[in-house]
Amino acid sequence: MKVNTMAEMLANGQTPEVLFWVGCAGSFDQRAQKITKAFATILNKVGVNYAILGKEEACTGDPARRAGNEFLFQMMAYQNIQMLNGYGIKKIITTCPHCFNTFKNEYPVLGGSYEVIHHTSFLQQLIDEGKIKLKEGGEFKGKKIVYHDSCYLGRSNNIYEAPRKVLEALDAELVEMKRCKSNGLCCGAGGAQMFKEDEPGNKRINTERTDEALETGATFIASACPFCNTMMTDGVKNREKENEVAVLDIAEMIAASME
């Protein structure tokens, strides 16, 4: 795949409309790389003028701040803001709610103000504008899909409708877990929990959440966050249901259903 970097575009005297911020998971995690590819495929097909930072991209600092290392967070944030402002970036799209939340709500105080869009909102925009054409009777037609709300997308930023509207466009049956939307349950990875050992207890949070998803009888668990995706996938494996239930990012579902 040919994806332009900011440096390449600048060298050719071009400026992209949007910066696609890939994020650490999307860059280095083998599972999340598929989400990155799916989203880039959609952007290419639709003809969005975008670029990535490539090797110049660093972590937003979200896990450092959540784990309590404020000094490291600020160091990383200032470095990123210098880079983004240096390139004159105005609009950022991200496939990770953690990056989204950090850019949108935490960078402005440090001098980094951008228009930040999560990929589910962007996909909804593209579908509403008729830019994304979906196949008649795609592979999700009539299938049961349950959507898991990411904490940083839902409760932190009130984005509940966009991901659901995108899934409805797939002509599938959208079902809900008992705990959903503002009452949703965390997958267990937020707040830097992804990077530490479990605390004592009798059940892992991701298993609890996966059980709620499996109870709906859905064949697909849709997520909009690489961390949630990992946790729900582990939960499905733990329950030995990986042959019956697939965990997919919304971008992967749209990429697979496009004409």
Side-chain angles (χ1 to χ4, degrees):
M1 273 178 93
K2 175 69 186 124
V3 177
N4 291 321
T5 63
M6 281 301 299
E8 285 168 354
M9 287 194 91
L10 203 69
N12 295 329
Q14 298 168 308
T15 43
E17 261 169 75
V18 291
L19 172 76
F20 169 24
W21 184 274
V22 182
C24 303
S27 301
F28 302 113
D29 180 82
Q30 272 188 312
R31 174 65 189 89
Q33 283 170 353
K34 292 179 182 170
I35 300 168
T36 306
K37 278 186 186 158
F39 188 58
T41 303
I42 297 168
L43 294 178
N44 288 343
K45 268 192 187 171
V46 175
V48 175
N49 178 13
Y50 75 102
I52 60 170
L53 281 171
K55 290 202 163 67
E56 290 184 290
E57 188 183 290
C59 177
T60 58
D62 164 79
R65 177 171 254 190
R66 303 294 163 251
N69 193 337
E70 183 62 20
F71 175 68
L72 181 59
F73 164 73
Q74 295 214 7
M75 257 172 50
M76 297 169 100
Y78 281 125
Q79 207 178 330
N80 287 328
I81 289 166
Q82 263 185 317
M83 165 85 59
L84 294 166
N85 292 353
Y87 276 126
I89 305 285
K90 301 276 185 287
K91 196 170 173 181
I92 299 172
I93 296 177
T94 165
T95 48
C96 171
H98 296 252
C99 299
F100 169 76
N101 180 66
T102 306
F103 280 134
K104 186 171 177 280
N105 301 320
E106 299 181 348
Y107 272 30
V109 184
L110 303 169
S113 295
Y114 317 100
E115 184 192 344
V116 192
I117 306 171
H118 185 259
H119 76 307
T120 51
S121 306
F122 193 66
L123 290 172
Q124 189 207 343
Q125 235 172 294
L126 293 174
I127 290 170
D128 289 350
E129 289 167 8
K131 288 180 182 168
I132 287 181
K133 304 265 191 295
L134 298 169
K135 286 186 277 212
E136 281 294 317
E139 61 182 289
F140 302 105
K141 190 180 168 70
K143 298 273 171 64
K144 255 192 196 180
I145 299 176
V146 64
Y147 171 65
H148 161 74
D149 286 288
S150 148
C151 299
Y152 279 118
L153 210 52
R155 283 192 295 263
S156 297
N157 289 290
N158 253 334
I159 298 176
Y160 298 112
E161 291 314 310
R164 288 174 169 82
K165 286 220 171 89
V166 174
L167 290 169
E168 278 163 14
L170 294 171
D171 213 4
E173 185 192 342
L174 198 55
V175 292
E176 295 284 1
M177 293 182 245
K178 284 195 186 99
R179 287 189 272 193
C180 64
K181 299 188 177 171
S182 57
N183 193 32
L185 177 72
C186 176
C187 70
Q193 298 289 327
M194 182 87 168
F195 307 102
K196 60 183 271 297
E197 291 305 314
D198 295 337
E199 282 159 37
N202 54 14
K203 192 176 186 183
R204 299 186 71 177
I205 296 182
N206 64 323
T207 311
E208 170 94 2
R209 188 57 169 161
T210 305
D211 286 346
E212 289 182 5
L214 295 174
E215 272 166 31
T216 63
T219 6
F220 294 98
I221 299 172
S223 75
C225 167
F227 286 4
C228 295
N229 195 303
T230 299
M231 297 308 256
M232 300 303 274
T233 303
D234 285 352
V236 170
K237 279 181 187 157
N238 183 278
R239 291 290 182 241
E240 295 179 355
K241 295 274 188 204
E242 59 262 55
N243 295 331
E244 299 150 51
V245 180
V247 182
L248 292 171
D249 188 90
I250 290 177
E252 294 178 296
M253 298 173 110
I254 292 294
S257 308
M258 277 174 83
E259 279 181 358

